Amino acid sequence: MNLIMFGPPGAGKGTQAKRLQERYKIKQLSTGDMLRGEVSSGSELGQRLKSIMDSGELVSDDIIIEIIANCIAEPECQKGFILDGFPRTVAQAQALDDMLKNMAREIDHVIVLNVDDEELVGRVKTRAEESGNARSDDTEETIRHRLTVYNEQTAPLLPYYKEKGLIRNIDGMAAIDDVSAEIESIVSREKAA
Ligand code: AMP
């Protein structure tokens, strides 16, 4: 089973992807986590990535597409994967389609977590306050910019996947457990079918 967790920053994609990973033993692939790993390695690439991420802009499609292409070819993704934070542009979605086609695989569901903008800003600020090592892109100004980037570059993927019949809308304002239950019902229903 191959899933895409879709939604703006702070919608709960990572939290839900981790739960799905546990439950279905399919691999969570968070591009944000991978990029932060590269940043903390202190490499020259990491330094370049950090300044882009801190500005709230997107890292170039080429870099991200290469990372994902390598990951989904790994044995640990054989049973399936949960893409968390990818694709974020139409070019990334098209590249993903090409990769999957070559592997004779496909996306089963695009799970969209819908959350109001003001709630998102509040959640990310709370994440920054509560986390021991706050992310440097979790400041209010950057969050607002990340939301603009989401609306301009990532939201256009919704019609792209709608046309493919893959969109599963979820109320991301609900409690975490309720969101998980709703995702679970979609995923298990389709699996049984
Ligand atoms: P995230 O943890 O998913 O919110 O990602 C944090 C930051 O990493 C984003 O604001 C982007 O700068 C970068 N990033 C993560 N995933 C992608 C992607 N698929 N395409 C481009 N940039 C990304």
Side-chain angles (χ1 to χ4, degrees):
M1 180 169 56
N2 304 317
L3 307 175
I4 295 177
M5 294 301 302
F6 197 90
K13 301 186 293 293
T15 303
Q16 297 298 336
K18 282 194 182 66
R19 289 181 170 207
L20 286 164
Q21 170 170 262
E22 263 310 290
R23 174 85 171 78
Y24 293 99
K25 308 293 174 215
I26 53 176
K27 183 81 182 142
Q28 174 193 14
L29 298 175
S30 159
T31 42
D33 285 351
M34 294 175 203
L35 294 169
R36 282 184 287 279
E38 186 65 36
V39 170
S40 54
S41 80
S43 69
E44 202 188 307
L45 171 65
Q47 284 169 22
R48 288 209 305 274
L49 293 172
K50 181 173 163 42
S51 65
I52 299 168
M53 292 163 77
D54 284 352
S55 73
E57 289 293 324
L58 296 181
V59 168
S60 83
D61 287 335
D62 293 355
I63 294 180
I64 295 288
I65 289 166
E66 193 182 332
I67 294 176
I68 288 293
N70 289 331
C71 286
I72 60 177
E74 291 284 323
E76 59 187 12
C77 286
Q78 271 308 103
K79 267 191 77 178
F81 52 77
I82 310 150
L83 292 169
D84 164 11
F86 176 92
R88 258 172 153 105
T89 62
V90 172
Q92 291 179 16
Q94 287 168 341
L96 175 65
D97 280 348
D98 291 344
M99 283 174 221
L100 294 175
K101 206 167 164 198
N102 287 332
M103 301 168 83
R105 295 171 78 172
E106 57 186 17
I107 296 295
D108 297 292
H109 309 282
V110 177
I111 295 170
V112 183
L113 299 176
N114 295 294
V115 179
D116 298 347
D117 279 8
E118 283 316 305
E119 166 79 11
L120 292 169
V121 175
R123 282 188 190 184
V124 179
K125 278 165 74 181
T126 308
R127 175 166 79 191
E129 282 155 17
E130 287 176 357
S131 139
N133 56 347
R135 280 172 50 172
S136 48
D137 60 348
D138 274 353
T139 63
E140 179 158 355
E141 197 193 336
T142 312
I143 300 158
R144 292 203 184 271
H145 186 60
R146 281 157 63 202
L147 282 175
T148 306
V149 169
Y150 172 81
N151 288 324
E152 287 175 356
Q153 300 190 50
T154 308
L157 288 178
L158 291 168
Y160 181 88
Y161 285 116
K162 187 159 195 268
E163 198 163 302
K164 295 177 186 285
L166 292 176
I167 297 283
R168 317 284 181 250
N169 275 300
I170 303 270
D171 175 13
M173 301 283 282
I176 293 179
D177 286 346
D178 295 342
V179 174
S180 300
E182 212 178 317
I183 295 174
E184 175 103 32
S185 83
I186 288 168
V187 169
S188 54
R189 186 169 61 225
E190 300 278 333
K191 262 186 102 184

